[in-house]
Amino acid sequence: MMDVASRAGVSQATVSLVLNDSPGVRLSDATRERVRQAAEELGYKLVRRGQRRAPADQNLIAFIADEMATDPWMSIAFDGAREKALEYGLTVCLTVTRGDPDAEAMILSQMGQQLLGIIYGTTLTRRAEPSPALFKHRTVLLNCYDGKRKLPSVLPGELVGGRVATERLIQAGRKRVALINGQEGLDASRDRLKGYRQALASNDISFDPALVRPGNWEPSSGYEMTQLLMALDSPPDGIFCANDMMAVGCFDALRELGLKVPDDVSVVGFDDREIAQFTRPPLTTLLLPHYEMGEIAAELLIDAAGGLKGGPTQIKVECTLVERDSV
């Protein structure tokens, strides 16, 4: 499956989802066809493992979130894990510990022998320092990773997503593509910037640091940075906003300047927040795949409990392009 993933240019998780015909997975037809073609060219035969069964007395998965902020990501990931667990007659219990190791140890001890494993999720994609209690059980990290890679983790494919977003603007004929990035120092901002730069290099477009501006994930910074970008001697004709909320502010600034989206400036966001459907015009964006990440995390635990051996691994899940009318 790693060979198929490499040949198709997708993650191993995407290969698994396509070849297993997993229901409800939001992948483009082009991605599905690319995976199937790569598998056929390599002569890959999918191994059907049959129904995985955990020990009868282990029927609980603990979903521990570091926080439940205004962003919906952990709630969405929990929904994905819960739906996957229900397929196997398992229950997922959600708890928020704010990173308190004593609280985590107490909660896990209360679950006793019923505990099948733990999904530990963080709202921000980041390096985490799992508490000692998590190493005593089957644990999968979600939207985070431990520095020594001792635990398996499931993360969004931020770098590839940044590249896809930028390439979409280039394919639309945009010659000067800007990036309004998130807060500096965060994994998501770093990887989306890397993807942006990769897309420019792949299309023989020189990197111009004046076209990259730091935001703070809020509409206000999208508005402010768009004003600064459009005041340049050579303003951009395409803007990649590293999240949808900054794209909302970007739209406001462009409208105030008398510019139309996408006639004058094309805009692509990231996350596929609900608001992306209701901007004017509706926003082309990248889906942040937390639902699929939750499903995959639960499946890794169920596989391990059913006896499928596998060492620590890091799975990156594709951020699918959602086409609307802003490009």
Side-chain angles (χ1 to χ4, degrees):
M1 293 181 73
M2 291 175 66
D3 293 337
V4 175
S6 177
R7 192 180 189 95
V10 300
S11 68
Q12 187 177 344
T14 298
V15 173
S16 175
L17 293 169
V18 171
L19 297 184
N20 280 294
D21 291 323
S22 298
V25 176
R26 292 166 286 186
L27 296 172
S28 67
D29 291 340
T31 296
R32 293 177 185 275
E33 179 58 30
R34 200 160 68 244
V35 169
R36 293 189 182 105
Q37 184 176 346
E40 184 176 343
E41 290 172 354
L42 291 169
Y44 176 79
K45 303 298 182 184
L46 181 65
V47 178
R48 298 291 181 183
R49 293 173 294 187
Q51 187 80 343
R52 289 151 290 177
R53 292 293 180 187
D57 59 343
Q58 295 183 340
N59 56 15
L60 285 179
I61 293 174
F63 190 112
I64 299 176
D66 65 339
E67 60 178 301
M68 299 293 281
T70 54
D71 289 331
W73 310 132
M74 283 301 98
S75 297
I76 293 171
F78 171 73
D79 284 343
R82 181 185 60 192
E83 291 301 314
K84 178 57 64 175
L86 283 173
E87 294 178 17
Y88 299 92
L90 304 173
T91 299
V92 183
C93 298
L94 172 64
T95 184
V96 180
T97 63
R98 302 190 183 278
D100 183 343
D102 293 333
E104 291 168 7
M106 179 189 70
I107 291 164
L108 296 175
S109 66
Q110 290 174 347
M111 293 184 175
Q113 296 300 315
Q114 289 182 289
L115 182 63
L116 181 142
I118 304 159
I119 298 172
Y120 182 82
T122 59
T123 298
L124 292 176
T125 308
R126 63 179 176 85
R127 175 174 170 170
E129 298 296 336
S131 66
L134 270 60
F135 288 97
K136 297 176 182 179
H137 303 274
R138 301 181 192 96
T139 298
V140 175
L141 303 179
L142 190 146
N143 206 41
C144 59
Y145 56 92
D146 67 294
K148 296 182 179 179
R149 302 295 197 274
K150 290 184 177 180
L151 296 172
S153 58
V154 184
L155 299 157
E158 310 264 19
L159 188 152
V160 176
R163 189 170 71 216
V164 169
T166 308
E167 286 179 341
R168 179 65 187 90
L169 291 165
I170 295 170
Q171 290 166 4
R174 302 306 177 178
K175 304 300 182 184
R176 282 181 62 75
V177 177
L179 167 65
I180 302 176
N181 206 359
Q183 289 168 292
E184 294 180 348
L186 298 181
D187 284 34
S189 303
R190 179 199 65 207
D191 287 349
R192 292 174 197 185
L193 173 60
K194 284 182 180 178
Y196 166 81
R197 297 193 64 159
Q198 283 186 7
L200 296 180
S202 298
N203 288 275
D204 296 322
I205 298 174
S206 299
F207 173 73
D208 183 351
L211 291 176
V212 177
R213 302 288 169 142
N216 63 4
W217 308 116
E218 298 298 330
S220 58
S221 65
Y223 174 88
E224 178 185 352
M225 295 303 145
T226 300
Q227 293 278 4
L228 293 174
L229 286 167
M230 301 315 295
L232 294 171
D233 291 339
S234 297
D237 54 3
I239 301 176
F240 166 32
C241 296
N243 82 337
D244 295 342
M245 300 308 293
M246 291 192 297
V248 170
C250 174
F251 273 33
D252 287 344
L254 292 172
R255 188 178 303 111
E256 195 171 282
L257 292 167
L259 299 170
K260 292 184 178 181
V261 178
D263 297 353
D264 300 310
V265 182
S266 292
V267 179
V268 173
F270 208 112
D271 292 349
D272 196 28
R273 298 284 288 259
E274 186 175 1
I275 196 172
Q277 306 172 50
F278 304 109
T279 57
R280 292 293 177 266
L283 179 66
T284 295
T285 186
L286 274 291
L287 172 71
L288 201 54
H290 279 82
Y291 187 90
E292 285 81 5
M293 289 161 57
E295 286 187 313
I296 291 166
E299 194 157 0
L300 288 173
L301 286 179
I302 294 164
D303 279 346
L308 186 66
K309 302 298 181 182
T313 186
Q314 187 175 94
I315 294 175
K316 294 203 172 183
V317 184
E318 178 183 18
C319 300
T320 309
L321 182 69
V322 181
E323 288 276 9
R324 295 195 180 98
D325 300 327
S326 63
V327 178

